[in-house]
Amino acid sequence: MLRFLPSLKHFSLVAALALFFGSVTSSHALTPESCDIDVSDLNLRYDNHLDYQNKNVPTDFFLLVYSNSPGFCKTMERKGREASVRFQCDSGNDFGWVVHGLWGESEKAYKSGNNKGHPRFCKGDLAPLPLETIKPYLCMSPGTRLLQGQWEKHGSCDFDSAEAYFDKTLELAGQFKLPPADLNAKKAIRWMRDNNPELKNTWLHQSRHEFGICFDKSFNLMSCPRKR
């Protein structure tokens, strides 16, 4: 079976992360060596198109969002769209809680629940990234279209390059143990606080099927703002 491997320029980063975070990550690790990548499983039609743009909204804090892969795959199967997410849902990899993305957030929009009030597509509709740029992060966020979209919609608002954005996302995500895949978002948050001491007194983000961890603009851990 032909598999893609991370490019050489990422080996030092991967090795450092593995050494530093190896003792704290769960069995569902997110580092590049933790899953198998077969080219035939990848969706090569991963260009995203601009839906709406908020290029003048400042980032007040960052939200690292985790999604439940088994739940996502069930939803895609129910919609008859599983062919577009074959790598995540039918590649033989055991994905549990994975990173949806790292989002620059507007505190005002977050508190008010205005999901369309955050920075978005700040540099417009960007060209698709080379596959070689995306590959090292597929174990963290298992989808070519997902990674392309996160860079265009969110990362481009605060980072100069896709590699810098993905590397920072991987670095932040590597700090935490992740919960079992069979827990819902509410129970997953409880598990995160019980198994990651630094989160014990931290207010985390929760939506119906996802949870998230907030960081200030210097990427220090912080409690997420309380919604109104």
Side-chain angles (χ1 to χ4, degrees), residues 181-201:
D182 60 350
L183 297 184
N184 62 27
K186 184 176 182 179
K187 292 181 178 178
I189 286 177
R190 189 178 305 130
W191 190 100
M192 290 291 288
R193 289 202 185 102
D194 289 342
N195 292 272
N196 294 278
E198 63 270 49
L199 298 177
K200 184 177 181 180
N201 298 312

Side-chain angles (χ1 to χ4, degrees), residues 28 30 66-79 82 85-100 139-140 142 146 178-185 188 208-211:
H28 292 292
L30 304 174
Y66 292 89
S67 175
N68 184 271
S69 185
F72 169 78
C73 291
K74 288 179 182 177
T75 298
M76 294 299 282
E77 183 178 4
R78 188 168 62 250
K79 293 180 177 180
E82 63 271 23
V85 289
R86 192 165 143 192
F87 172 66
Q88 181 169 0
C89 301
D90 194 30
S91 66
N93 288 295
D94 184 22
F95 295 117
W97 285 96
V98 296
V99 173
H100 184 162
C139 302
M140 173 183 74
L146 171 61
L178 293 180
D182 60 350
L183 297 184
N184 62 27
R208 187 175 179 183
H209 300 296
E210 298 184 318
F211 70 86

Side-chain angles (χ1 to χ4, degrees), residues 1-15:
M1 180 183 293
L2 177 62
R3 293 188 172 91
F4 280 128
L5 296 176
S7 56
L8 288 175
K9 67 178 181 178
H10 293 280
F11 281 167
S12 59
L13 169 69
V14 172

Side-chain angles (χ1 to χ4, degrees), residues 36-112:
D36 292 324
I37 302 174
D38 186 332
V39 62
S40 66
D41 291 324
L42 299 179
N43 179 3
L44 301 182
R45 298 171 62 90
Y46 55 83
D47 191 16
N48 280 246
H49 300 288
L50 190 151
D51 46 14
Y52 63 91
Q53 185 181 46
N54 290 330
K55 64 180 180 179
N56 296 318
V57 177
T59 291
D60 296 318
F61 67 97
F62 290 92
L63 176 60
L64 177 66
V65 182
Y66 292 89
S67 175
N68 184 271
S69 185
F72 169 78
C73 291
K74 288 179 182 177
T75 298
M76 294 299 282
E77 183 178 4
R78 188 168 62 250
K79 293 180 177 180
R81 296 170 56 191
E82 63 271 23
S84 66
V85 289
R86 192 165 143 192
F87 172 66
Q88 181 169 0
C89 301
D90 194 30
S91 66
N93 288 295
D94 184 22
F95 295 117
W97 285 96
V98 296
V99 173
H100 184 162
L102 179 66
W103 305 344
E105 298 280 282
S106 159
E107 185 172 358
K108 179 180 178 181
Y110 184 88
K111 286 182 174 179
S112 67

